Amino acid sequence: MPQHLDISSLISCPEKSPFAEALAEATTILVVPNRCSSIYTRMWCVYEAFLAQKKGKLICTAVRSHLRRAAVAAAWTLPCLPCGAAAAWATHAHHHSKESDAVSLVVWVLMALSLVIDRSFLRRTINWLGTLGAAYCLAAGDLHKIHDIAYFLAAEVDRERLNAYDEEAVNLLQHFQGSVRLATCSRPEDQAAIWGAIGSEVSSVDRT
């Protein structure tokens, strides 16, 4: 659709606009946030989200790829491996020694904490310490600790994944004032028509 031209005649009735007709044929709706302003401060975006919800469409939110950041996070964790091994060799630790058993217990506690703590900085610290401890036990002869090392590396990747989701959630709310009632449109007549189409369902739009 030539959006750079005068398309007022095509969108004068929101329910019959090309946007609405295309959405009716779609099975999935992709929401793409931006860093400048919440898309839900824009009237047509609000209307499209309203239609998608009303028609029971699957709504997905685009998220910036976190693979590079996850790889960097995992790479920063790797130096814990030689440090933990060096500590085991320096203390002459061996499997089932008091030192090794104590560190193994700490590793299990750190694994549990990594699951329940959601603050990114704390999770990263826990994952580093867990990798360090698991490497200590591995060097002492506990071969099962290789699974714990894999867990903490995966936890670092997951931490970055959640960070990416949190950033997109912030972008979705950028300049959003709590209600779509405050959304704006470049053409007042379009705004009036869209509000007429949404009618009394404004509160349900806010909730969704």
Side-chain angles (χ1 to χ4, degrees):
M1 187 174 69
Q3 296 189 43
H4 58 289
L5 300 178
D6 183 5
I7 59 171
S8 56
S9 61
L10 297 176
I11 60 176
S12 58
C13 178
E15 297 95 329
K16 297 180 180 179
S17 67
F19 301 115
E21 291 181 359
L23 190 146
E25 297 298 322
T27 56
T28 304
I29 307 301
L30 180 64
V31 177
V32 184
N34 65 76
R35 295 186 180 89
C36 298
S37 182
S38 170
I39 59 173
Y40 299 122
T41 62
R42 297 159 56 188
M43 198 70 245
W44 274 103
C45 292
V46 168
Y47 181 64
E48 290 164 10
F50 162 72
L51 276 184
Q53 184 72 21
K54 187 175 182 180
K55 294 179 181 295
K57 305 294 183 179
L58 174 64
I59 303 175
C60 302
T61 302
V63 179
R64 185 179 63 176
S65 175
H66 63 279
L67 293 180
R68 181 179 177 278
R69 289 170 52 180
V72 171
W76 275 103
T77 308
L78 292 178
C80 296
L81 297 176
C83 292
W89 295 328
T91 58
H92 304 290
H94 57 84
H95 192 26
H96 289 315
S97 66
K98 290 183 179 180
E99 296 83 359
S100 178
D101 287 347
V103 173
S104 181
L105 178 61
V106 170
V107 168
W108 281 102
V109 172
L110 291 172
M111 289 178 71
L113 289 175
S114 181
L115 286 172
V116 299
I117 290 179
D118 57 1
R119 290 194 176 185
S120 182
F121 174 76
L122 289 177
R123 280 195 71 192
R124 181 177 62 185
T125 302
I126 288 169
N127 292 334
W128 285 357
L129 291 175
T131 304
L132 187 72
Y136 178 98
C137 296
L138 180 63
D142 186 357
L143 299 182
H144 294 293
K145 281 296 181 281
I146 196 168
H147 300 120
D148 296 350
I149 291 172
Y151 167 83
F152 286 113
L153 288 173
E156 270 298 278
V157 172
D158 184 63
R159 183 182 64 82
E160 283 299 335
R161 178 184 64 84
L162 293 177
N163 283 346
Y165 289 162
D166 288 343
E167 288 175 7
E168 295 307 328
V170 169
N171 290 337
L172 274 175
L173 296 177
Q174 189 78 6
H175 299 144
F176 183 63
Q177 301 180 58
S179 174
V180 297
R181 291 181 176 88
L182 302 174
T184 58
C185 189
S186 59
R187 299 178 72 247
E189 52 268 39
D190 287 352
Q191 185 161 348
I194 291 172
W195 282 130
I198 294 178
S200 61
E201 298 186 65
V202 176
S203 296
S204 65
V205 176
D206 279 339
R207 288 194 298 271
T208 56

